[in-house]
Amino acid sequence: MNLPGTFTLGPGDGSARTGRLTTAHGEIETPVFMPVGTQGTVKSLCPDDLRTIGARIILGNTYHLYLRPGDELVAKMGGLHRFMAWDGPILTDSGGFQVFSLSGLRRITEEGVTFSSHIDGSKHLFSPEKVISIERNLGSDIMMVLDECVPYGADRAYTEKSLGLTTRWATRCRAAHAPLDRGQLLFGIVQGGFFKDLRAESARQLIDLAFEGYALGGLSVGESRAEMYDILYDATPLLPADKPRYLMGVGAPRDLLAGMAAGIDMFDCVLPTRNARNGTLFTFQGKVNIKRAEYREDDSPLEADCPCYACRTFSKAYLRHLYVARELLSYRLNTLHNLTFFSRFMAQARQAIREGRFEAFRTAMEAAYPETDA
Ligand SMILES: CC1(C)O[C@@H]2[C@@H](CO[C@@]3(CNc4nc5cc6c(=O)[nH]c(N)nc6cc5[nH]4)OC(C)(C)O[C@@H]23)O1
Ligand SMILES: [Zn+2]
């Protein structure tokens, strides 16, 4: 068994690559999509479901788990793996982004970010040291540094100033967590907004800190697809080729394809789980809006060759009925299907890369997911 942090590259196709990342809770084949389990659960699914649908690594959120139930409590319960009975790899985002996107009244200083809880308005400080302490308490296999996700539209001066702070915070995170301590990996997060030279500067500064992996932050924050891709293609090659590359918060099938083509190894997005709630289902033939009247008497499965419980057991008519009736089972079945699709999509992408036919796979999938449809 390799040491946690070992990242071995497999066959590639152009800039797209396959790989294998070793964590303290098992190996992950890349490229990989990580289902989001913000509060220690991938909404409506049990750990057995996650294994059945082929999920390998899931995401938790430092911000949410710190506020509720508390990282000290989770530690007392044996850590997040034992608490949620998930024995596979877990990545925790640092909370930087969630503070910016969720909490009110926040202030950024050299020390860290102070914010008021979106739950009860109580005041908190996230310093780099505090965030690392929380992630160590949670026991996540991959910890993200505390960073400032620069708001979309920030000017150059603000972006440049912010990236310096993000690097100083990353330095403090690295100092607070020695490489591979307790088998927990630490990833840096490249910022720099939509300025290519600032992205390069951020990447250069973080590479000097020798993280076990590198993420592109500050994307999927409201920019156009063209703006995201422009940075994606320019900044990804700047990240060390021998370390995992993680595109945060992405994304729709079309964006996963673009990310893989650029050389990204890891993705996360709320899309499959969030869309399960609004009846948008993903299939290899494109999106299906299950609430449409056309499915009212459709006795066929959502996707004939999908191995998920929803497709093996129920008709579109029933899935539509559950959605329209706002039944709880609707969310669970839709989530099982959507995450099974994302898992199969990534498995087919990995195979296409291994066999040197990724561009053909991308073209076929983009036909099912046209620009407007993501
Ligand atoms: C795509 C989709 C469906 O995902 C939804 C919604 C809006 O975008 C998302 C996803 N985008 C996203 N960008 C990120 C950037 C950072 C970052 O710079 N630093 C750190 N530490 N974590 C990050 C996490 C990120 N998530 O962000 C929230 C607000 C979490 O909801 C998600 O549209
Ligand atoms: Zn299915």
Side-chain angles (χ1 to χ4, degrees):
M1 169 78 160
N2 292 326
L3 270 179
T6 305
F7 182 56
T8 312
L9 284 176
D13 186 358
S15 297
R17 74 237 199 106
T18 59
R20 188 180 298 254
L21 174 62
T22 303
T23 75
H25 283 84
E27 294 199 336
I28 305 159
E29 290 211 20
T30 62
V32 65
F33 177 82
M34 303 183 280
V36 175
T38 300
Q39 301 191 100
T41 160
V42 176
K43 296 187 187 326
S44 83
L45 300 190
C46 307
D48 274 355
D49 297 323
L50 291 173
R51 284 184 276 271
T52 304
I53 63 173
R56 283 294 302 131
I57 173 172
I58 62 168
L59 211 95
N61 263 309
T62 299
Y63 170 83
H64 294 81
L65 292 165
Y66 160 77
L67 289 177
R68 186 177 54 191
D71 57 298
E72 303 287 352
L73 181 146
V74 174
K76 214 177 282 175
M77 295 295 135
L80 188 54
H81 288 86
R82 183 169 173 278
F83 192 48
M84 67 180 289
W86 167 252
D87 59 2
I90 298 175
L91 180 149
T92 46
D93 193 358
S94 57
F97 184 76
Q98 285 70 33
V99 165
F100 299 115
S101 64
L102 268 179
S103 79
L105 287 180
R106 62 191 177 276
R107 216 161 56 84
I108 301 172
T109 64
E110 190 64 34
E111 177 56 15
V113 54
T114 50
F115 62 94
S116 47
S117 158
H118 72 289
I119 297 172
D120 62 12
S122 52
K123 282 249 172 295
H124 302 269
L125 164 70
F126 267 4
S127 67
E129 296 77 13
K130 176 63 179 170
V131 163
I132 292 296
S133 159
I134 296 168
E135 291 181 286
R136 284 163 67 98
N137 270 340
L138 297 175
S140 46
D141 299 283
I142 301 174
M143 308 188 297
M144 303 308 293
V145 298
L146 178 67
D147 62 325
E148 183 191 359
C149 174
V150 175
Y152 177 57
D155 66 22
R156 183 184 171 82
Y158 183 92
T159 305
E160 188 158 21
K161 186 165 171 277
S162 169
L163 95 81
L165 181 63
T166 283
T167 297
R168 291 193 297 278
W169 282 357
T171 307
R172 286 165 56 188
C173 285
R174 180 79 279 178
H177 183 76
L180 308 188
D181 186 7
R182 309 179 190 189
Q184 291 183 267
L185 312 182
L186 184 59
F187 280 20
I189 304 176
V190 171
Q191 291 292 346
F194 293 85
F195 301 94
K196 290 180 181 174
D197 60 329
L198 296 185
R199 284 275 171 181
E201 181 55 20
S202 177
R204 193 190 58 70
Q205 292 176 6
L206 293 176
I207 290 168
D208 288 347
L209 293 169
F211 288 109
E212 288 82 74
Y214 289 85
L216 285 181
L219 293 176
S220 186
V221 289
E223 76 278 13
S224 69
R225 184 164 262 129
E227 287 172 304
M228 177 166 82
Y229 289 10
D230 194 32
I231 294 297
L232 173 66
Y233 286 107
D234 195 76
T236 304
L238 304 177
L239 306 180
D242 63 342
K243 297 278 172 71
R245 297 157 166 173
Y246 168 22
L247 178 54
M248 304 186 88
V250 174
R254 199 177 181 86
D255 300 329
L256 298 176
L257 293 163
M260 287 186 274
I264 296 290
D265 308 300
M266 301 167 71
F267 302 88
D268 86 273
C269 193
V270 294
L271 212 57
T273 39
R274 179 181 292 181
N275 279 10
R277 199 164 45 234
N278 64 38
T280 303
L281 304 178
F282 293 86
T283 76
F284 282 96
Q285 288 68 46
K287 273 194 220 171
V288 169
N289 196 329
I290 198 63
K291 49 183 172 285
R292 291 168 63 91
E294 66 188 274
Y295 302 120
R296 196 167 170 280
E297 298 184 15
D298 186 330
D299 194 26
S300 67
L302 174 65
E303 199 167 30
D305 61 345
C306 175
C308 90
Y309 176 62
C311 290
R312 282 185 290 108
T313 316
F314 306 105
S315 66
K316 289 195 200 73
Y318 184 66
L319 293 179
R320 179 181 179 280
H321 160 64
L322 291 180
Y323 178 79
V324 172
R326 304 308 298 155
E327 276 294 340
L328 289 176
L329 184 59
S330 169
Y331 189 53
R332 177 171 163 73
L333 295 179
N334 291 355
T335 304
L336 280 171
H337 171 78
N338 277 356
L339 286 179
T340 300
F341 169 77
F342 270 66
S343 178
R344 293 172 73 212
F345 182 85
M346 295 308 286
Q348 289 191 23
R350 290 193 295 270
Q351 198 52 30
I353 294 169
R354 286 189 199 105
E355 296 173 1
R357 53 181 177 76
F358 178 72
E359 273 316 308
F361 174 76
R362 181 179 185 185
T363 304
M365 286 296 99
E366 287 185 338
Y369 286 90
E371 179 74 23
T372 46
D373 225 13

